[in-house]
């Protein structure tokens, strides 16, 4: 497997998107479509670092499963 040095993560939703990393820091996303944002992740090859996106509206809030850096590989 080839380890990626950089990868773009994408979430799409019609409401604001909140990106976070495993340290609990909020990350700034970049608009890519009218309903989507991406973040650029530099793969530091940490087994514990991960990223999530949270989608929230007036009725509910849902957070993605964590995407770990260790899983950022090119098959």
């Amino acid at each position: 497997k080839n380890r990626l040095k950089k990868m773009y993560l994408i979430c799409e939703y019609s409401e604001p998107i909140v990106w976070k990393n495993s340290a609990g820091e909020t990350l700034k996303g970049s608009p890519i479509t009218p309903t989507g944002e991406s973040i650029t992740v530099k793969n530091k090859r940490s087994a514990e670092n991960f990223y999530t996106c949270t989608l929230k509206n007036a009725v509910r809030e849902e957070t993605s499963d964590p995407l770990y850096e260790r899983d950022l590989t090119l098959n």
Side-chain angles (χ1 to χ4, degrees):
K1 291 183 183 180
N2 296 322
R3 292 250 171 228
L4 296 176
K5 293 181 181 179
K6 183 169 47 169
M7 180 173 241
Y8 300 96
L9 306 182
I10 299 170
C11 274
E12 292 188 317
Y13 193 57
S14 60
E15 301 288 337
I17 297 167
V18 178
W19 292 95
K20 290 203 177 207
N21 62 17
S22 51
E25 300 168 322
T26 300
L27 308 172
K28 181 170 175 47
S30 300
I32 56 166
T33 66
T35 59
E37 285 186 7
S38 73
I39 59 171
T40 303
V41 174
K42 292 181 182 177
N43 190 353
K44 299 174 184 167
R45 297 192 171 123
S46 169
E48 301 306 316
N49 287 350
F50 65 83
Y51 304 89
T52 62
C53 67
T54 299
L55 313 172
K56 184 177 181 180
N57 63 26
V59 178
R60 65 188 252 197
E61 178 177 318
E62 189 168 336
T63 300
S64 67
D65 290 335
L67 178 61
Y68 287 86
E69 284 185 6
R70 66 178 176 249
D71 298 327
L72 300 180
T73 59
L74 188 62
N75 295 329

